[in-house]
Amino acid sequence: MRAVCWHGKHDVRVDEVADPQIVSKGDVIVKVALTCICGSDLHLYNGYVPTMKKGDIMGHEFVGEIVEAGSGVTRFHVGDRVIVPFPISCGVCWYCKRELWSLCDNSNPNSWMLEHLYGDTGGGIFGYSHMYGGFSGGQAEYVRVPFADVGLEKIPDGVPYEQVVLLTDVCPTGYQAADNCNINPGDTVAVWGCGPVGLMAMMSARHLGAERVIGIDRFPERLRMAHSQCRAEVLNYEEVDVAEALQNMTGGRGPDSCIDAVGLEAVGTGIEGVYDSVKQALRLETDRASALRQLTKACRKGGTLSIVGVYSGFIDKFPMGAIFAKGLTLHAGQAHVHKYLPHLLKLVADQQLNPSSIITHRLPLEQAPGAYKTFLNKQDDCIKIVLNPQESTGTARPGSEEAGAA
């Protein structure tokens, strides 16, 4: 089969690889209809996440049709169209039983790699390095999905793949980011990063009752989409002092909740931006945290920080004193997709939520290497890229509807 494979920093290729096989009786094989490039895939592409190996298959956002099922699978059948959450969960461990699905104790066979560094680690993730299990990813024609009875969600008849492909990750991640804010009527929620997760967080904050949503970024096309799709007020952090602007917009108090949808590759300004870039380049810190510092400073006293941007290791100059002095509550972590998926799928089926509105590029799988470059460099007003493994080269174009017709 064809698959997008990692070969090193800034080097992904569409290779011919072996078809996946049923390994355990709880497995299924999914024929991928649509798959996406996620912002966190860029951390792999840029070489910031360790334990990647040449030939690893990329991707953790995908939907498709079951074409083979293990003997132990009881909830699904060949021919079912399914959503595949990006975290892999067993369904029976202490964490899964408490709906902490992404922290599954049994799905990551390589958890030992991070136990010394982190004290413990989360569950397996499709296509996201060997420290998260070494599972083959979804940017391919076919994928083996373990724990199928636990992880999959059937797509209702009549709902196109494109409407639900973002329910695999960015939509529930954004929803969890907003849910962690414990939003009350009249609240103001500020979101750093107007990429796909940030946009979903803004939509979700509105859905959960926020009176005001403020999006912070530096790319005009992202700020425009935040305003048009999420009814957000917007700030360009290269043009204003964000903390001062937010104070002015909230009567001197600051936002009730602040969401970090940026993560470890935040681009800072001035001396701080140079400091982080140099320290990361010299491996004196693993993550650039200018966005995290900014939202910590901006949040009101007694407010909430919700962190869904990916961080991988250590940061410098983290303002722990501000968190203590202002009595801030901090939530962080990978999304528990299984927890939110039924609710979000109902919203989509009832046409109350349209995650596909943020998709800007639809391309065949063969164009993935160029698509990664486009996404990384924010070219062609790129916000979200969907790849179609079943489509022949050259038949799709950015913005076309062809890839979502299945």
Side-chain angles (χ1 to χ4, degrees), residues 33-37 160-166 225 229 354-368 370-371 374 379-406:
L34 293 177
T35 182
C36 302
I37 300 176
Y161 283 120
E162 187 172 289
Q163 289 292 313
V164 296
V165 67
L166 299 192
M225 187 170 282
Q229 299 286 349
N354 181 20
S356 66
S357 64
I358 71 169
I359 296 171
T360 55
H361 290 61
R362 299 162 176 87
L363 301 166
L365 190 74
E366 281 81 359
Q367 294 186 21
T374 297
Q379 297 169 336
D380 195 26
D381 289 349
C382 180
I383 303 289
K384 187 64 177 178
I385 297 175
V386 171
L387 302 172
N388 188 335
Q390 311 305 325
E391 189 171 355
S392 59
T393 303
T395 59
R397 64 188 185 280
S400 74
E401 295 295 332
E402 299 167 21

Side-chain angles (χ1 to χ4, degrees), residues 176-199:
Q176 177 171 301
D179 189 40
N180 283 342
C181 293
N182 298 313
I183 295 170
N184 293 307
D187 275 4
T188 296
V189 178
V191 180
W192 274 253
C194 298
V197 170
L199 292 167

Side-chain angles (χ1 to χ4, degrees), residues 83-124:
I83 301 166
V84 185
F86 80 87
I88 302 169
S89 308
C90 73
V92 298
C93 71
W94 189 92
Y95 294 95
C96 287
K97 287 181 178 180
R98 287 159 178 79
E99 294 193 309
L100 301 172
W101 300 97
S102 68
L103 302 177
C104 177
D105 246 352
N106 295 325
S107 63
N108 184 356
N110 297 330
S111 60
W112 60 270
M113 290 184 177
L114 286 176
E115 285 175 354
H116 180 69
L117 183 65
Y118 292 168
D120 210 337
T121 189

Side-chain angles (χ1 to χ4, degrees), residues 232-268:
E233 303 166 67
V234 296
L235 296 172
N236 186 327
Y237 70 82
E238 290 186 329
E239 298 176 355
V240 299
D241 182 305
V242 171
E244 181 179 335
L246 290 171
Q247 288 282 313
N248 293 335
M249 296 168 73
T250 57
R253 190 172 65 235
D256 299 285
S257 299
C258 296
I259 294 173
D260 179 355
V262 180
L264 68 90
E265 292 189 67
V267 177

Side-chain angles (χ1 to χ4, degrees), residues 11 29-30 42 98 108 132 158 207 268 300 333 335 376 383 402:
D11 184 3
I29 304 298
V30 171
L42 295 181
R98 287 159 178 79
N108 184 356
Y132 284 105
H207 175 73
R300 72 158 170 82
L376 173 66
I383 303 289
E402 299 167 21

Side-chain angles (χ1 to χ4, degrees), residues 83-392:
I83 301 166
V84 185
F86 80 87
I88 302 169
S89 308
C90 73
V92 298
C93 71
W94 189 92
Y95 294 95
C96 287
K97 287 181 178 180
R98 287 159 178 79
E99 294 193 309
L100 301 172
W101 300 97
S102 68
L103 302 177
C104 177
D105 246 352
N106 295 325
S107 63
N108 184 356
N110 297 330
S111 60
W112 60 270
M113 290 184 177
L114 286 176
E115 285 175 354
H116 180 69
L117 183 65
Y118 292 168
D120 210 337
T121 189
I125 297 176
F126 291 101
Y128 213 75
S129 82
H130 289 265
M131 67 184 182
Y132 284 105
F135 293 94
S136 294
Q139 291 170 11
E141 291 183 277
Y142 298 90
V143 184
R144 179 181 75 91
V145 178
F147 302 109
D149 277 340
V150 176
L152 300 180
E153 189 76 25
K154 190 173 180 180
I155 302 170
D157 293 340
V159 177
Y161 283 120
E162 187 172 289
Q163 289 292 313
V164 296
V165 67
L166 299 192
L167 299 189
T168 58
D169 179 4
V170 297
C171 185
T173 295
Y175 192 91
Q176 177 171 301
D179 189 40
N180 283 342
C181 293
N182 298 313
I183 295 170
N184 293 307
D187 275 4
T188 296
V189 178
V191 180
W192 274 253
C194 298
V197 170
L199 292 167
M200 292 293 105
M202 286 181 257
M203 289 184 190
S204 300
R206 283 288 188 191
H207 175 73
L208 292 171
E211 181 174 311
R212 299 176 71 188
V213 174
I214 303 169
I216 298 135
D217 208 299
R218 65 190 177 111
F219 292 101
E221 64 274 13
R222 293 185 171 208
L223 293 169
R224 285 194 299 268
M225 187 170 282
H227 179 68
S228 64
Q229 299 286 349
C230 310
R231 295 179 291 128
E233 303 166 67
V234 296
L235 296 172
N236 186 327
Y237 70 82
E238 290 186 329
E239 298 176 355
V240 299
D241 182 305
V242 171
E244 181 179 335
L246 290 171
Q247 288 282 313
N248 293 335
M249 296 168 73
T250 57
R253 190 172 65 235
D256 299 285
S257 299
C258 296
I259 294 173
D260 179 355
V262 180
L264 68 90
E265 292 189 67
V267 177
T269 58
I271 295 298
E272 180 187 10
V274 173
Y275 174 90
D276 277 334
S277 295
V278 170
K279 291 208 74 171
Q280 189 181 54
L282 296 175
R283 295 295 189 262
L284 297 175
E285 67 175 354
T286 58
D287 305 350
R288 303 194 300 262
S290 58
L292 184 55
R293 297 189 196 103
Q294 207 171 76
L295 62 93
T296 302
K297 181 180 179 181
C299 192
R300 72 158 170 82
K301 293 183 288 186
T304 299
L305 308 182
S306 179
I307 303 169
V308 291
V310 173
Y311 288 90
S312 67
F314 300 94
I315 58 177
D316 195 8
K317 303 295 187 290
F318 181 68
M320 193 64 209
I323 292 176
F324 178 81
K326 295 202 290 183
L328 302 180
T329 298
L330 190 152
H331 293 275
Q334 301 281 5
H336 306 304
V337 176
H338 306 62
K339 176 180 178 179
Y340 299 107
L341 189 49
H343 175 62
L344 294 172
L345 182 56
K346 186 178 187 304
L347 292 178
V348 170
D350 292 344
Q351 299 183 351
Q352 297 182 47
L353 177 67
N354 181 20
S356 66
S357 64
I358 71 169
I359 296 171
T360 55
H361 290 61
R362 299 162 176 87
L363 301 166
L365 190 74
E366 281 81 359
Q367 294 186 21
Y372 267 88
K373 293 178 182 178
T374 297
F375 193 28
L376 173 66
N377 296 316
K378 310 296 187 293
Q379 297 169 336
D380 195 26
D381 289 349
C382 180
I383 303 289
K384 187 64 177 178
I385 297 175
V386 171
L387 302 172
N388 188 335
Q390 311 305 325
E391 189 171 355
S392 59

